């Protein structure tokens, strides 16, 4: 967020909630907290804060919630545009070569029995 956007955001925030500090020092704190956030996400975070909590919003709370909202939105977009997984075209070995499958199964059983016998002795 640019400094001018931060000033506009704090003006907007102070009009909604008069408990929000509006001095120059407070604007610097808000700007420092929101410098990596866009205005839209900050406004959405502020609106959500007002909906959920009766307290005055703090810069760190709004910045954290804005980051969460952006991350959630991008995850949803990624999920919507992701290509679906391709189904496997290969036939499993059990159906393709049942005799070999049975031989491998028996070899595995034998190896397991041998391993158990070696452990007990």
């Amino acid at each position: 967020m640019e400094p001018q956007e931060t000033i506009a955001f704090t003006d907007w925030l102070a009009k909604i909630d008069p408990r929000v500090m509006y001095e120059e020092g407070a604007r610097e704190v808000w700007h420092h907290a929101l410098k990596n956030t866009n205005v839209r996400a900050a406004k959405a975070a502020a609106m959500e804060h007002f909906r959920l909590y009766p307290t005055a919003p703090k810069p760190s709370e709004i910045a954290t919630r804005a980051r969460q909202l952006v991350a959630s939105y991008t995850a949803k977009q990624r999920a919507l545009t992701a290509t679906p997984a391709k189904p496997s075209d290969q036939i499993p070995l059990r159906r393709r070569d049942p005799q070999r499958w049975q031989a491998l199964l028996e070899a595995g059983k034998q190896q397991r029995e041998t391993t158990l016998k070696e452990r007990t002795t």
Side-chain angles (χ1 to χ4, degrees):
M1 199 182 291
E2 296 296 321
Q4 298 83 8
E5 293 172 327
T6 305
I7 291 169
F9 175 73
T10 54
D11 288 344
W12 175 81
L13 206 55
K15 288 176 185 173
I16 293 173
D17 189 350
R19 296 175 295 180
V20 174
M21 295 184 74
Y22 186 63
E23 293 100 26
E24 187 175 335
R27 284 186 189 160
E28 288 180 22
V29 172
W30 279 97
H31 178 66
H32 183 71
L34 298 173
K35 65 182 171 188
N36 296 327
T37 308
N38 65 24
V39 177
R40 227 172 156 187
K43 282 187 177 184
M47 294 304 290
E48 189 167 306
H49 178 85
F50 289 130
R51 183 177 58 87
L52 296 174
Y53 307 107
T55 60
K58 297 177 186 168
S60 61
E61 294 171 349
I62 300 301
T64 301
R65 188 63 192 139
R67 278 194 304 275
Q68 291 170 348
L69 289 172
V70 169
S72 174
Y73 177 77
T74 55
K76 285 177 187 175
Q77 292 304 312
R78 228 182 2 257
L80 289 173
T81 59
T83 57
K86 292 183 179 179
S88 177
D89 293 337
Q90 293 184 346
I91 299 172
L93 179 64
R94 188 175 194 172
R95 286 194 7 222
R96 189 175 59 225
D97 193 352
Q99 293 166 345
R100 183 169 173 225
W101 172 263
Q102 194 61 36
L104 288 171
L105 195 63
E106 291 300 323
K109 286 181 185 177
Q110 287 294 331
Q111 185 178 9
R112 176 73 177 153
E113 287 177 15
T114 305
T115 304
L116 290 176
K117 285 180 185 175
E118 287 174 359
R119 286 184 187 171
T120 57
T121 57

